[in-house]
Amino acid sequence: WRFNLTNILSGATNATYTVVNAQAYDAAAYDVVVSNPGGSVTSQVASLQLWQSYTINLPGGGPGFYLIANQFDHGSNTLDEVLPNMPNGTSIQTWNCSLQDFDSVIATFHAMTHHWIPNLTLAPGQGALIFLNGSLSSITFTGTPHVPVLPAALPCGYGAATMLSRQTNDVGTFENITGLSPTEGAQVLLWDAPVNDFDVCTYSGGTWYPTVPAVAVGGAALITVPGGTNSPCLALQCPSDILVQACSG
């Protein structure tokens, strides 16, 4: 038996190969080469993927609005894949950068067909507002670990609120969500489900007020990264008095 097509697994010469207590490093491509005096043949490749899960606990366990996020890779990351079994009539809205509000397109889960209409995409690190239409104490996401890409893309740009989450299933901070250090005026808006509104955390004078924001596993936040020296493009004055743009990346 071989690991990732080239590494021979020591002692693995039986008709089957079992991975005991599989860990993240065991996720790979496996195949077997069978030989006799007449020659050899190589099997098709079997891929081992390790699925993980995380659970979002919903305060109250009943109908209400919650800010959630997908933090795994699961197929094409459509709602049908990441949230396959929800109470009938449950709906999801993503963030609209132009409106700086939740989008008017609302995806709704239909229990009879087990499909979301429309079947939106919820990529790792992307958050959404879900209205739970029914009794449910928690939501579980499953998938394979996502490799974070930082600094994170800011679809709404600098100086505007973007709905973001950490790109892996762990507690999020401004730094590990955006890949940037906070600067004066940075804001993180955390959803307060009991009151259906946001709690605002602002970075000023080198500290966060009223508290250092932390985004729970499976949660999302509205994050504003100020413009200025932390923006993607810096205005430079050249000797020729021509204003040019120097853009990062």
Side-chain angles (χ1 to χ4, degrees):
W1 285 88
R2 301 187 305 177
F3 176 89
N4 275 343
L5 310 183
T6 57
N7 303 307
I8 297 175
L9 295 165
S10 178
T13 57
N14 294 326
T16 61
Y17 180 72
T18 302
V19 179
V20 180
N21 190 26
Q23 302 297 317
Y25 51 76
D26 292 310
Y30 293 81
D31 66 354
V32 61
V33 180
V34 180
S35 304
N36 64 20
S40 65
V41 63
T42 303
S43 72
Q44 291 184 335
V45 174
S47 296
L48 174 63
Q49 290 185 323
L50 295 183
W51 287 70
Q52 297 183 7
S53 66
Y54 63 88
T55 298
I56 305 171
N57 294 317
L58 306 176
F65 290 94
Y66 305 92
L67 209 58
I68 64 170
N70 177 28
Q71 296 175 328
F72 282 144
D73 283 309
H74 191 140
S76 299
N77 296 312
T78 65
L79 291 180
D80 279 354
E81 293 166 309
V82 300
L83 290 171
N85 294 297
M86 300 299 296
N88 187 57
T90 293
S91 62
I92 277 184
Q93 291 173 274
T94 54
W95 186 250
N96 186 306
C97 291
S98 299
L99 297 176
Q100 283 292 282
D101 200 350
F102 292 105
D103 199 270
S104 59
V105 175
I106 301 175
T108 304
F109 186 76
H110 297 261
M112 288 190 66
T113 61
H114 293 281
H115 288 298
W116 288 87
I117 300 177
N119 188 22
L120 303 177
T121 298
L122 200 62
Q126 183 181 1
L129 183 71
I130 186 169
F131 174 72
L132 183 65
N133 186 35
S135 297
L136 198 66
S137 60
S138 63
I139 299 174
T140 298
F141 284 78
T142 61
T144 56
H146 180 77
V147 178
V149 178
L150 296 173
L154 299 174
C156 301
Y158 285 69
T162 300
M163 184 165 293
L164 295 171
S165 173
R166 194 166 182 184
Q167 298 172 46
T168 185
N169 57 319
D170 206 345
V171 175
T173 64
F174 182 93
E175 292 84 350
N176 64 31
I177 291 175
T178 65
L180 302 169
S181 297
T183 57
E184 187 73 17
Q187 283 194 330
V188 177
L189 277 64
L190 302 172
W191 184 250
D192 189 341
V195 299
N196 285 338
D197 205 351
F198 288 98
D199 295 328
V200 181
C201 299
T202 303
Y203 190 80
S204 179
T207 190
W208 287 99
Y209 294 97
T211 185
V212 177
V215 183
V217 175
L222 281 175
I223 296 180
T224 301
V225 178
T229 58
N230 205 21
S231 65
C233 294
L234 308 180
L236 301 178
Q237 194 73 32
C238 297
S240 61
D241 294 328
I242 297 175
L243 189 66
V244 299
Q245 296 288 322
C247 298
S248 64

